[in-house]
Amino acid sequence: MHLTDVFPKAIGREFYPDRDNLKERVINMMRGEDMVTNTRCTKLHHYDNTSGQSFLHREEFKEFKEWCEDQCATFVSDDMGYQLPEKMIITDSWLNLCDEGGQQYPHFHTNAYISGTYYLAYEEGHAPLFFRHPDSASHSSHASISLLADMNKLGKYNCDLIMLPNEGELMLWPSNLTHGYADNKKDGRISISMNFMPSLIVDDKYSYRVSPT
């Protein structure tokens, strides 16, 4: 049968210009902070991963935060083609440290329009990021029914998409995409996750503003 691809999803990718300095500052900060262990994985730890806190709202990360917001605005308006009345803002953000044997269970982000991860420390042996196809059998399936995938016939229409990040790279995607990683083979995989919303949301009749908690 002849097939035609429809409705691809965009993933934005951009390198932070001052990535070496940012990496040094964050790692120095981590030495004096206690991190919280993930409830699903004892090899995965977080900082500022509770309601009302946001890692990037610290004054020392203001420049990086504003850069991420600018990149997200470009992604939404120029790359995805949506009208953006004002700007994109980070509503919450948190630090992740994954050691050997760690993983992040497949999940998606609610109460956000765009989500992203910045790879502060990433090298060979660190687990790649995967995105789960929306119609595959998972907790976030958009289909009305879910059939189990035939493992001998996995293709681009039902399999996970593997993305290899680079150290110093920001990756952005629509928040409803299920993502995660598995089988991390080396200590020290450090990333900063974040959620974005438009600062002003406008439709035909109503509008409202969004601000971080």
Side-chain angles (χ1 to χ4, degrees):
M1 179 179 294
H2 296 289
L3 302 176
T4 300
D5 293 347
V6 296
F7 304 136
K9 297 290 186 180
I11 307 294
R13 308 180 70 163
E14 191 62 56
F15 284 100
Y16 183 54
D18 197 17
R19 49 189 175 271
D20 292 337
N21 179 48
L22 177 66
K23 179 179 179 181
E24 181 180 3
R25 286 190 289 135
V26 172
I27 289 178
N28 286 338
M29 183 219 72
M30 290 173 64
R31 293 191 178 103
E33 301 286 356
D34 292 327
M35 303 188 77
V36 177
T37 300
N38 188 279
T39 56
R40 290 180 176 268
C41 178
T42 59
K43 300 294 185 179
L44 177 61
H45 313 280
H46 309 284
Y47 185 77
D48 274 351
N49 193 28
T50 58
S51 178
Q53 294 182 320
S54 183
F55 181 74
L56 292 180
H57 282 82
R58 296 175 175 222
E59 184 62 28
E60 61 262 41
F61 301 129
K62 179 180 179 181
E63 183 177 340
F64 175 66
K65 170 180 168 289
E66 291 177 348
W67 178 85
C68 290
E69 291 173 336
D70 288 344
Q71 298 307 310
C72 189
T74 298
F75 177 59
V76 171
S77 60
D78 295 356
D79 300 327
M80 298 180 69
Y82 292 108
Q83 293 184 9
L84 190 60
E86 288 186 348
K87 60 182 181 179
M88 297 296 293
I89 59 172
I90 292 175
T91 54
D92 59 329
S93 56
W94 57 99
L95 184 70
N96 310 288
L97 168 63
C98 188
D99 288 328
E100 183 179 357
Q103 63 177 344
Q104 177 58 279
Y105 187 80
H107 65 286
F108 59 97
H109 296 192
T110 59
N111 298 324
Y113 187 66
I114 300 295
S115 295
T117 296
Y118 176 80
Y119 291 89
L120 191 85
Y122 187 91
E123 57 188 66
E124 185 176 356
H126 289 159
L129 180 69
F130 68 75
F131 290 95
R132 182 142 294 170
H133 193 283
D135 294 336
S136 67
S138 72
H139 70 283
S140 64
S141 176
H142 294 172
S144 57
I145 63 171
S146 292
L147 301 178
L148 293 177
D150 185 338
M151 300 304 293
N152 296 315
K153 298 180 181 179
L154 287 177
K156 64 180 178 179
Y157 301 110
N158 60 359
C159 69
D160 293 346
L161 173 65
I162 305 298
M163 303 286 288
L164 286 173
N166 297 287
E167 184 169 294
E169 184 178 38
L170 173 68
M171 298 179 67
L172 301 168
W173 59 86
S175 296
N176 64 341
L177 287 182
T178 298
H179 57 283
Y181 56 88
D183 195 25
N184 189 48
K185 297 184 181 300
K186 189 175 184 179
D187 289 348
R189 185 188 192 275
I190 306 175
S191 61
I192 303 172
S193 295
M194 59 199 80
N195 287 320
F196 299 83
M197 285 286 286
S199 61
L200 177 64
I201 298 176
V202 179
D203 64 12
D204 292 339
K205 298 181 179 180
Y206 307 102
S207 66
Y208 60 92
R209 291 193 175 276
V210 176
S211 62
T213 56

